[in-house]
Amino acid sequence: MSNLATRTPSHQIEPLFVSRWSTKAFTGDEIPEATLFRSFEAARWAPSGSNGQPWRFIYSKRGSETWPQFLALLNERNQVWAANASALVVLLSKKNRLTPEGVRPQRSHSFDAGAAWSNFAHQTHLSGWSTRAIGGFDRPAARASLAIPEDFEIEVFIAVGKPADKSALPEPLQSANQPSDRLPLSSLVSDGRFAFAWAE
Ligand SMILES: Cc1cc2nc3c(=O)[nH]c(=O)nc-3n(C[C@H](O)[C@H](O)[C@H](O)COP(=O)(O)O)c2cc1C
């Protein structure tokens, strides 16, 4: 199902970091509540600025009353494959927080939510399930449809499902459904000065 030949780490790391990848092929199996909440639990332990914990999650399970509403918020090309996911999760981040001095911006709200997403994705993978983040959705419609106050950023939707063989996908999506590679460390890390190409 997964061709991990494209993922060879250049240093010795936990296999989990390269074996997690974002399939679009899902079985549509029902996800046990316990499995989903294990992933929320992992997300809960992410680090955040001043321990502000700005992440919030709204979820819908496939087959539930809210499922068609969640699915309809995705761009059409994402709906094609996400229709077979087992849950859709909306990740929000709270832009402000209450401090002893009053309500103050949580400057790191999106950064913190990204850390929570990473924990969520890796725990889901460790549980034998898969995730794919979705930035392609209708933001104003999502805010209105889910009654999300302006104080909260809608960061991303997350499709969660049991990975399936890529033959489960419509033909045009099959060939691209494989683990992707990464830029080399030499393009990403520099000692003591900015030394990065704009084109990369
Ligand atoms: C913020 C964010 C938004 C994304 N939006 C979409 C999307 O709208 N549709 C999609 O098919 N994949 C989307 N992806 C998945 C990425 O394309 C994928 O994570 C990336 O190619 C790296 O592949 P990997 O997750 O398999 O390692 C998104 C990922 C992130 C983190």
Side-chain angles (χ1 to χ4, degrees):
M1 178 189 344
S2 58
N3 167 18
L4 292 176
T6 52
R7 295 197 156 188
T8 309
S10 54
H11 291 262
Q12 205 181 349
I13 56 173
E14 285 297 320
L16 132 92
F17 294 111
V18 285
S19 60
R20 181 220 58 84
W21 68 283
S22 304
T23 187
K24 288 182 180 171
F26 294 114
T27 61
D29 286 357
E30 185 176 346
I31 186 165
E33 200 88 346
T35 306
L36 194 54
F37 273 77
R38 229 171 150 187
S39 298
F40 290 133
E41 180 65 26
R44 184 162 84 94
W45 291 99
S48 58
S50 305
N51 200 21
Q53 305 164 66
W55 42 75
R56 300 290 184 272
F57 303 91
I58 310 176
Y59 74 93
S60 172
K61 285 169 71 172
R62 190 166 191 266
S64 72
E65 203 182 311
T66 54
W67 178 257
Q69 177 192 359
F70 276 58
L71 192 62
L73 294 170
L74 305 183
N75 292 355
E76 268 176 42
R77 64 187 170 82
N78 285 322
Q79 285 187 32
V80 171
W81 57 267
N84 276 332
S86 304
L88 283 169
V89 177
V90 189
L91 171 53
L92 311 175
S93 70
K94 197 164 170 285
K95 297 184 207 168
N96 300 302
R97 67 192 177 92
L98 193 58
T99 71
E101 293 77 40
V103 176
R104 293 287 181 271
Q106 171 84 7
R107 290 189 204 291
S108 58
H109 63 94
S110 287
F111 184 84
D112 297 342
W117 141 250
S118 179
N119 278 18
F120 185 96
H122 286 104
Q123 178 58 59
T124 306
H125 173 68
L126 288 172
S127 302
W129 291 66
S130 240
T131 55
R132 188 172 182 103
I134 304 172
F137 63 91
D138 186 332
R139 283 173 167 72
R143 191 172 292 285
S145 172
L146 299 171
I148 297 166
E150 288 293 339
D151 271 0
F152 291 77
E153 188 73 43
I154 311 174
E155 299 288 353
V156 84
F157 276 57
I158 304 167
V160 185
K162 197 84 178 156
D165 189 88
K166 65 180 173 189
S167 60
L169 286 168
E171 184 61 59
L173 295 180
Q174 285 188 21
S175 55
N177 195 59
Q178 56 182 344
S180 52
D181 201 359
R182 291 296 188 267
L183 294 169
L185 267 189
S186 57
S187 302
L188 305 175
V189 183
S190 174
D191 184 356
R193 68 184 181 92
F194 184 95
F196 306 111
W198 292 110
E200 272 176 338

